[in-house]
Amino acid sequence: MIRNAISAYLKGLKYIMSKPSWKNRRRYILASFVIGGIMLVGSTMAVLIGNMSDVSDLVTGGVALITLILTSYIFGAVWEDKSLHNKEDNLDG
């Protein structure tokens, strides 16, 4: 059973990695935004219910996750775009 699960995971990983890198990045970005959003909604629900245990950690974690992912995605896209344009402009290498 564990061997089948590992085999299925590796097949899925090979399938995902065979796709273009921007598709993989967008999947990870979307998943991170969903997790960050769930953390923010969870903290909101905890405040509304009155369970005030470590709500600030959920808010900080959710906002930090969304901010870091968005920043790294923008930086990666700009860096990739800049490096591709530099190679096209300079034909000598």
Side-chain angles (χ1 to χ4, degrees):
M1 182 169 160
I2 294 175
R3 183 175 290 168
N4 291 339
I6 292 173
S7 176
Y9 174 75
L10 291 176
K11 279 184 184 178
L13 191 61
K14 285 180 185 177
Y15 174 75
I16 289 172
M17 295 309 284
S18 68
K19 300 262 184 200
S21 64
W22 59 268
K23 280 190 175 183
N24 292 333
R25 264 188 258 142
R26 286 187 183 154
R27 281 189 187 148
Y28 292 130
I29 297 299
L30 180 63
S32 299
F33 273 123
V34 168
I35 291 170
I38 288 172
M39 291 172 75
L40 291 174
V41 169
S43 63
T44 303
M45 294 302 292
V47 167
L48 292 176
I49 291 172
N51 184 6
M52 300 299 279
S53 61
D54 293 335
V55 173
S56 64
D57 290 342
L58 279 174
V59 172
T60 304
V63 170
L65 181 64
I66 291 172
T67 303
L68 289 172
I69 295 299
L70 185 62
T71 303
S72 64
Y73 181 74
I74 291 171
F75 172 77
V78 169
W79 180 78
E80 183 180 35
D81 203 30
K82 177 107 171 117
S83 66
L84 289 176
H85 286 308
N86 280 347
K87 287 181 183 177
E88 289 174 0
D89 292 342
N90 187 3
L91 298 177
D92 291 336

